[in-house]
């Protein structure tokens, strides 16, 4: 059986170590525990250790388990880390505290409309497709800075940071470095980068949050993007 609480403890130790080695302050790096595909009873032991920040990649799946968990633990912070369709903007704004996958004009507009309607303001990141992969979501890195500006000036959205998922078969370092450079150019502070296989590298490149799933919850029962 997977001991997610124990795995979480070890991941946090390694994050602390990597943060120290990078000469950064411990509170500089947050852990987003990625619970996609896992049911509430697998997530609860992790909540009980005090972990409060979680990531899900599908709106519909998250709607099935998180409203009750959030009801029971009001300080949970839920991140949407998967692609968002504009017809799901309403549900996303209602449930998520952070949306990390703003990557096109239509989504920015839909989020702005829903945020005004609902009076809820989830924090927002722009996802950048640093590897220019056809099958992957995210804005073209060459358009990222201008897009952040348009989100602010055209849609009235505050973009807090950038997010990326490097290509699986490449050295992630150059992708993390590119994201850091784009964030500086765009004038945003947060960098969501690094997963189970590369979060220590991401921290060395300036990640302010890492999204770790399988190293905590174990291998996923099915492919989930
Ligand atoms: C699934 C997922 C993760 C976590 O991946 P692991 O390799 O299991 O840590 C991180 N970010 C995104 C966007 C994901 O979809």
């Amino acid at each position: 059986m997977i001991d997610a609480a124990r795995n979480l403890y070890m991941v946090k130790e390694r994050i602390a170590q990597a943060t120290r080695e990078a000469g950064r302050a411990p509170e500089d790096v947050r852990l987003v525990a990625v619970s996609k595909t896992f049911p509430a009873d697998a997530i609860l032991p992790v909540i009980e250790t005090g972990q409060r920040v979680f990531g899900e990649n599908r709106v519909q799946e998250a709607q099935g388990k998180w409203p009750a968990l959030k009801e029971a633990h009001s300080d949970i912070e839920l991140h949407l880390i998967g692609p968002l369709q504009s017809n799901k903007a309403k549900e996303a704004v209602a449930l998520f505290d952070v949306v990390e996958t703003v990557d096109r004009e239509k989504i920015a507009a839909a989020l702005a409309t829903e945020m005004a309607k609902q009076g809820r303001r989830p924090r927002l990141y722009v996802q950048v497709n640093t590897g220019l992969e056809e099958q992957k979501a995210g804005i073209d890195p060459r358009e990222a800075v201008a897009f952040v500006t348009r989100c602010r000036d055209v849609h009235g959205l505050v973009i807090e940071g950038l997010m990326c998922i490097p290509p699986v078969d490449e050295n992630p370092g150059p992708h993390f470095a590119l994201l850091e450079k784009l964030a500086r150019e765009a004038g945003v502070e947060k960098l969501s980068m690094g997963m189970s296989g590369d979060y220590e590298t991401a921290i060395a490149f300036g990640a302010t949050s890492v999204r770790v799933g399988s190293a905590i919850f174990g291998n996923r029962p099915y492919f989930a993007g």
Side-chain angles (χ1 to χ4, degrees):
M1 228 195 81
I2 292 288
D3 187 344
R6 184 160 175 277
N7 291 344
L8 177 86
Y9 176 80
M10 291 192 297
V11 166
K12 284 168 76 168
E13 286 289 297
R14 286 177 57 181
I15 289 173
Q17 175 76 19
T19 306
R20 267 195 306 276
E21 279 168 11
R24 303 176 55 197
E27 65 275 13
D28 270 11
V29 182
R30 302 188 85 206
L31 169 62
V32 179
V34 177
S35 50
K36 66 189 185 196
T37 77
F38 291 97
D41 60 4
I43 300 170
L44 262 175
V46 172
I47 294 177
E48 277 157 13
T49 69
Q51 176 69 21
R52 286 295 178 270
V53 187
F54 290 86
E56 289 282 344
N57 72 333
R58 292 180 184 176
V59 175
Q60 206 165 339
E61 182 190 336
Q63 280 181 304
K65 53 191 176 184
W66 282 101
L69 292 169
K70 285 184 106 182
E71 182 100 16
H73 305 271
S74 60
D75 53 347
I76 278 173
E77 180 182 298
L78 193 59
H79 291 225
L80 178 61
I81 60 172
L84 177 59
Q85 305 301 322
S86 53
N87 63 4
K88 286 277 192 318
K90 177 178 175 188
E91 288 84 353
V93 167
L95 181 60
F96 288 92
D97 305 292
V98 181
V99 176
E100 298 200 12
T101 51
V102 183
D103 66 352
R104 58 195 187 279
E105 207 72 38
K106 198 174 172 195
I107 291 297
L111 288 170
T113 303
E114 278 306 323
M115 286 162 69
K117 250 191 224 165
Q118 298 183 31
R120 255 183 73 82
R121 296 196 72 81
R123 284 145 43 210
L124 305 175
Y125 286 56
V126 165
Q127 181 178 354
V128 183
N129 188 354
T130 57
L132 289 169
E133 292 174 281
E134 206 136 310
Q135 82 287 4
K136 200 166 271 175
I139 193 158
D140 184 319
R142 292 161 296 201
E143 296 164 17
V145 175
F147 179 60
V148 168
T149 305
R150 277 204 310 283
C151 282
R152 184 183 58 221
D153 295 349
V154 178
H155 302 288
L157 298 174
V158 176
I159 301 297
E160 184 168 289
L162 302 183
M163 177 272 223
C164 76
I165 312 168
V168 284
D169 52 355
E170 284 183 31
N171 173 9
H175 296 274
F176 297 152
L178 173 60
L179 199 70
E180 193 275 334
K181 173 175 164 277
L182 292 173
R184 250 187 298 121
E185 288 173 9
V188 304
E189 301 218 321
K190 307 282 191 202
L191 288 169
S192 171
M193 55 191 199
M195 318 194 337
S196 290
D198 55 17
Y199 63 88
E200 287 152 305
T201 307
I203 289 168
F205 279 93
T208 59
S209 62
V210 294
R211 310 177 306 269
V212 179
S214 46
I216 297 169
F217 292 101
N219 289 326
R220 282 179 286 276
Y222 61 86
F223 179 75

